[in-house]
């Protein structure tokens, strides 16, 4: 083995001095090995670490010039000609064809100052993109011509090599690539003037509820009449094999739309009756019609497309098939109203409508790269806002806008966090601000590291936030030592990722712990995420225990 690649993407983060020093010590020791080391960095730039990273005693360095093209200058300032410089020129995190002429300009800029050996590479591992575009036979041919999956990206690299070594042979491919880039930029498929007009009209009137939370809370209390420590769930209930079969049969045309609707309505009715008999305070319809919280919305929005086989690894052995946002996003018609409205018609308890938020849809999709991500987020937000307003009009008193992946969009460097948080919060507020004060907006987030962005989360101004905490034993509460969270909050007390059935005592203890930092009249009682992966028999017992816990706290409070 001549070369070993060692991945150190941590070099694109803020690093304590001790860690930097450790790099030097460790790589000095590795230097004695006979193999050559390629130190690979990606997902961002080396920033102020450029000079020390370039001086580490390794044979080569890989840099991500897709996410951080600006780092090239600093790297060239510090790089020695006897080393190999690997240029990450092809986007390993997205599915668009590369502008090969732009990549060639970058290579020649590097060439002018660097006389050593240059390698051409994707920006990072290709496990983040699907394998082969050729298998996608049903895609619109124009849009398909804009895309490159892993195999096509390797071909792009080969074309770049040819363009440098045998320019005549590469010429036709370079022209094809330039045409694809131009076709995409100019295509009427991606531009929707109506969406762009709406976008231009976004101002502060679209991001403010009518009144501040204390006023809204009074109106919501009067309308909803909930007990203290209100109980609810995060949205989904167990997805049984029958539910999945009904969805698959409908998709394949094996059952009619009328039969499918009947099946879903039955499932909703079952779910509502279960929640009523358990004694939950705020009910949900159960999300049986959804395969996935992003795909379900993407399939109904314009500007999205779905692949047949575009699977990528999510974590462990789990794979997802992210949608591709290729054009301006808009909502041709309501997406969830019929199900929530039907569910509300079955019960006097308040029904919570359930939507996926714009930031989560963005963070779990392949997003167009011809405009800032914030612009796409605002387009998504305008579409979700229409859905929120339609749910309110249909008589749904509580609407949850899930931002499960809100944190995932944070840039690697903390100095860039605020820029992201500002537009991400604004996108959420666009969705949630069109309703009356008496309509209660919830949001849900799937992580417990909350402390460092608590101010932005408070700025989202959701009336209620539910959040994962049970696994971390209420670690999030640390955030409340210095920060007075103004609105209501449901720190999850039932860990839905664990097969264990939580006892009432466990949950009472967690709630008491929460009560040390959060006023009892701010607290909600709920699981820490959706229940779709669990079985009814466990869910019934766990929720019954959770409701007992809420009752125990109410009796103490009286
Ligand atoms: N409402 C979604 C559900 O209950 C939320 C899922 C999530 O947070 N990942 O399934
Ligand atoms: Zn969750």
């Amino acid at each position: 083995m001549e070369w070993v690649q060692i991945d150190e993407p941590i070099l694109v983060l803020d690093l304590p001095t001790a860690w930097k020093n450790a790099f030097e010590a460790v790589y000095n020791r590795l230097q004695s090995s006979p193999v050559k080391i390629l130190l690979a960095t990606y997902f961002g730039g080396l920033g102020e670490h450029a000079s020390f990273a370039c001086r580490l005693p390794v044979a080569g360095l890989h840099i991500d010039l897709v996410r951080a093209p600006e780092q090239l200058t600093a790297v060239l300032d510090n790089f020695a000609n006897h080393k190999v410089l690997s240029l990450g020129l092809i986007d390993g995190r997205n599915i668009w064809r590369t502008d090969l002429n732009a990549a060639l300009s970058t290579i020649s800029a590097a060439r002018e100052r660097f006389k050593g050996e240059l390698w051409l590479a994707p920006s990072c591992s290709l496990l983040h993109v699907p394998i082969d575009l050729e298998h996608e036979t049903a895609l619109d041919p124009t849009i398909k011509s804009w895309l490159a999956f892993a195999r096509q990206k390797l071909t792009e690299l080969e074309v770049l090599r040819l363009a440098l070594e045998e320019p005549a042979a590469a010429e036709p491919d370079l022209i094809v690539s330039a045409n694809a880039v131009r076709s995409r930029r100019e295509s009427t498929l991606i531009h929707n003037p109506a969406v762009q007009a709406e976008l231009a009209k976004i101002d502060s009137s679209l991001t403010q509820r009518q009144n501040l939370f204390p006023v809204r809370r009074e109106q919501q209390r009067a309308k909803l009449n909930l007990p203290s420590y209100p109980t609810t769930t995060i949205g989904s209930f167990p997805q049984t094999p029958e539910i999945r079969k009904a969805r698959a049969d409908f998709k394949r045309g094996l059952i009619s739309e009328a039969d499918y609707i009947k099946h879903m309505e039955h499932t909703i009715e079952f779910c509502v009756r279960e929640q009523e008999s358990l004694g939950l305070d705020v009910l949900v319809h159960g999300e049986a019609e959804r395969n996935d919280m992003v795909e379900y919305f993407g399939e109904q929005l314009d500007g999205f497309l779905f692949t047949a086989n575009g699977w990528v690894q999510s974590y462990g052995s789990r794979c997802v098939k992210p949608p591709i946002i290729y054009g301006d996003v808009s909502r041709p018609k309501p997406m969830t109203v019929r199900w929530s409205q039907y569910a509300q018609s079955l019960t006097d308890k308040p029904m919570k409508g359930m939507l996926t938020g714009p930031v989560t849809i963005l963070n779990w999709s392949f997003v167009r790269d011809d405009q800032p991500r914030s612009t796409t987020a605002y387009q998504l937000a305008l579409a979700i806002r229409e859905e929120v307003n339609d749910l309110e009009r249909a008589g749904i008193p509580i609407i949850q806008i899930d931002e499960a992946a809100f944190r995932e969009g944070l840039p690697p460097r903390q100095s860039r966090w605020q820029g992201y948080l500002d537009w991400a919060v604004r996108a959420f507020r666009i969705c949630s601000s069109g309703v009356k004060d008496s309509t209660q907006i919830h949001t849900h987030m799937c992580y417990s590291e909350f402390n460092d962005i608590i101010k932005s989360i408070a700025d989202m101004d959701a009336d209620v936030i539910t959040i994962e905490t049970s696994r971390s034993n209420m670690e999030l509460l640390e955030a409340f030592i210095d920060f007075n969270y103004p609105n209501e909050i449901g720190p999850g007390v039932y860990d839905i990722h664990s097969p264990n059935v939580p006892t009432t005592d466990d949950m009472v203890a967690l709630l008491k712990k929460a009560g040390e930092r959060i006023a009892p009249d701010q607290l909600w009682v709920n699981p820490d995420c959706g229940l779709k992966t669990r079985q009814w028999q466990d869910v019934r017992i766990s929720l019954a225990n959770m409701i007992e816990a809420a009752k125990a706290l109410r009796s103490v409070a009286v």
Side-chain angles (χ1 to χ4, degrees):
M1 190 75 62
E2 190 184 356
W3 282 89
V4 168
Q5 173 175 314
I6 302 188
D7 288 20
E8 295 281 19
I10 198 170
L11 282 169
V12 310
L13 299 181
D14 306 303
L15 280 184
T17 315
W19 290 45
K20 271 181 158 175
N21 295 342
F23 258 97
E24 287 172 14
V26 166
Y27 281 87
N28 280 334
R29 288 187 61 181
L30 286 173
Q31 197 183 4
S32 58
S33 149
V35 293
K36 295 182 186 163
I37 292 173
L38 178 76
L39 185 69
T41 66
Y42 40 82
F43 300 158
L46 292 165
E48 78 279 14
H49 311 322
S51 76
F52 103 85
C54 289
R55 283 181 232 287
L56 287 172
V58 292
L61 175 71
H62 172 82
I63 53 173
D64 181 341
L65 293 176
V66 174
R67 286 276 168 102
E70 72 286 350
Q71 68 177 326
L72 183 60
T73 312
V75 168
L76 293 174
D77 286 345
N78 291 284
F79 213 65
N81 282 328
H82 68 270
K83 289 189 186 176
V84 166
L85 182 58
S86 165
L87 305 177
L89 295 162
I90 310 282
D91 195 347
R93 293 288 299 265
N94 216 333
I95 42 61
W96 307 107
R97 253 189 187 207
T98 308
D99 182 343
L100 293 176
N101 288 307
L104 283 172
S105 313
T106 306
I107 298 169
S108 40
R111 241 311 147 245
E112 263 170 38
R113 297 186 49 205
F114 176 63
K115 305 301 171 207
E117 195 175 330
L118 271 183
W119 288 1
L120 311 181
S123 59
C124 61
S125 153
L126 293 174
L127 74 80
H128 309 282
V129 292
I131 294 176
D132 195 352
L133 186 63
E134 287 318 308
H135 298 306
E136 300 299 327
T137 49
L139 289 182
D140 174 290
T142 306
I143 299 179
K144 189 172 170 183
S145 76
W146 303 338
L147 302 176
F149 293 177
R151 283 228 158 92
Q152 289 69 40
K153 286 173 188 287
L154 295 179
T155 306
E156 290 184 325
L157 276 179
E158 174 60 10
V159 174
L160 285 178
R161 189 191 63 78
L162 275 178
L164 297 166
E165 293 182 352
E166 299 164 53
E171 192 82 357
D173 281 330
L174 283 177
I175 293 169
V176 171
S177 135
N179 287 346
V181 170
R182 188 171 334 104
S183 144
R184 183 172 155 222
R185 207 176 295 135
E186 292 167 3
S187 173
T188 50
L189 287 170
I190 72 169
H191 298 294
N192 179 338
V195 173
Q196 289 167 13
E198 281 305 303
L199 208 63
K201 280 193 281 183
I202 297 178
D203 61 15
S204 58
S205 70
L206 240 56
T207 59
Q208 287 288 355
R209 299 284 298 267
Q210 286 163 6
N211 279 291
L212 297 178
F213 176 70
V215 176
R216 304 199 304 262
R217 177 172 52 196
E218 290 320 307
Q219 297 208 25
Q220 291 164 19
R221 288 201 167 154
K223 178 170 169 191
L224 297 169
N225 201 17
L226 297 170
S228 59
Y229 299 97
T231 55
T232 190
T233 61
I234 306 303
S236 58
F237 269 89
Q239 294 239 334
T240 59
E242 299 80 67
I243 292 175
R244 285 202 207 99
K245 181 169 183 315
R247 276 204 316 262
D249 285 353
F250 177 49
K251 210 167 186 174
R252 279 193 224 114
L254 300 178
I255 57 173
S256 69
E257 183 170 10
D259 283 346
Y260 173 71
I261 290 173
K262 218 180 288 161
H263 193 112
M264 287 298 133
E265 288 186 347
H266 264 107
T267 311
I268 290 171
E269 179 161 16
F270 170 80
C271 190
V272 168
R273 298 293 168 241
E274 287 283 342
Q275 294 174 81
E276 283 182 330
S277 67
L278 281 161
L280 282 155
D281 300 307
V282 169
L283 311 194
V284 295
H285 76 286
E287 301 182 23
E289 76 287 4
R290 302 185 192 175
N291 35 1
D292 172 274
M293 66 187 288
V294 169
E295 193 171 342
Y296 180 76
F297 290 92
E299 277 174 350
Q300 299 184 74
L301 290 167
D302 284 350
F304 279 73
L305 77 86
F306 289 84
T307 60
N309 303 295
W311 295 96
V312 296
Q313 188 185 23
S314 157
Y315 62 90
S317 60
R318 278 197 171 248
C319 289
V320 290
K321 203 150 59 73
I324 297 174
I325 306 179
Y326 68 90
D328 289 339
V329 174
S330 61
R331 186 196 72 145
K333 56 178 198 296
M335 304 180 282
T336 65
V337 174
R338 79 167 308 141
W339 308 120
S340 291
Q341 196 168 23
Y342 177 71
Q344 183 66 86
S345 76
L346 300 170
T347 179
D348 293 334
K349 291 272 174 91
M351 184 59 55
K352 181 163 67 165
M354 205 58 57
L355 304 173
T356 303
V359 182
T360 296
I361 295 179
L362 190 85
N363 285 339
W364 285 347
S365 299
F366 290 120
V367 181
R368 54 193 284 198
D369 61 358
D370 60 326
Q371 64 182 20
R373 286 171 75 82
S374 55
T375 306
T376 307
Y378 294 152
Q379 292 183 355
L380 285 161
L382 289 169
I384 302 291
R385 177 185 172 97
E386 289 175 19
E387 187 74 12
V388 171
N389 296 351
D390 278 348
L391 282 167
E392 179 185 66
R393 237 170 269 135
I396 306 300
I398 304 181
I399 299 157
Q400 177 170 311
I401 307 165
D402 286 325
E403 284 293 18
F406 190 82
R407 212 193 147 90
E408 286 178 27
L410 281 175
R413 294 298 182 124
Q414 217 149 356
S415 58
R416 301 238 176 114
W417 281 17
Q418 203 52 49
Y420 165 77
L421 290 168
D422 286 347
W423 62 252
V425 168
R426 189 156 179 251
F428 181 86
R429 291 177 64 126
I430 290 171
C431 303
S432 60
S433 296
V435 292
K436 298 189 198 105
D437 285 344
S438 58
T439 296
Q440 190 170 65
I441 298 288
H442 288 218
T443 188
H444 164 73
M445 291 182 185
C446 280
Y447 47 81
S448 54
E449 303 90 19
F450 196 73
N451 311 14
D452 47 6
I453 57 167
I454 179 88
K455 210 190 147 298
S456 296
I457 289 177
D459 283 346
M460 290 166 75
D461 200 24
D463 298 305
V464 181
I465 179 168
T466 57
I467 191 149
E468 178 190 314
T469 43
S470 50
R471 264 184 298 182
S472 61
N473 198 20
M474 297 280 147
E475 195 181 83
L476 99 102
L477 298 174
E478 318 254 305
F480 297 89
I481 298 174
D482 305 317
F483 187 83
N484 206 355
Y485 187 76
N487 302 2
E488 296 182 7
I489 180 161
V493 289
Y494 154 18
D495 175 6
I496 67 93
H497 303 93
S498 148
N500 299 337
V501 169
T503 67
T504 300
D505 286 350
D506 291 343
M507 291 187 276
V508 166
L510 285 172
L511 284 165
K512 283 194 172 148
K513 201 162 170 193
E516 290 166 13
R517 290 274 152 67
I518 303 164
D521 70 347
Q522 282 177 286
L523 274 177
W524 282 65
V525 179
N526 46 266
D528 69 356
C529 200
L531 300 166
K532 72 174 179 191
T533 57
R534 304 255 60 97
Q535 308 277 321
W536 267 108
Q537 68 260 31
D538 294 351
V539 162
R540 264 187 214 108
I541 309 172
S542 303
L543 288 179
N545 290 350
M546 186 187 91
I547 290 162
E548 280 314 304
K551 286 186 182 153
L553 277 134
R554 283 173 203 156
S555 67
V556 175
V558 168

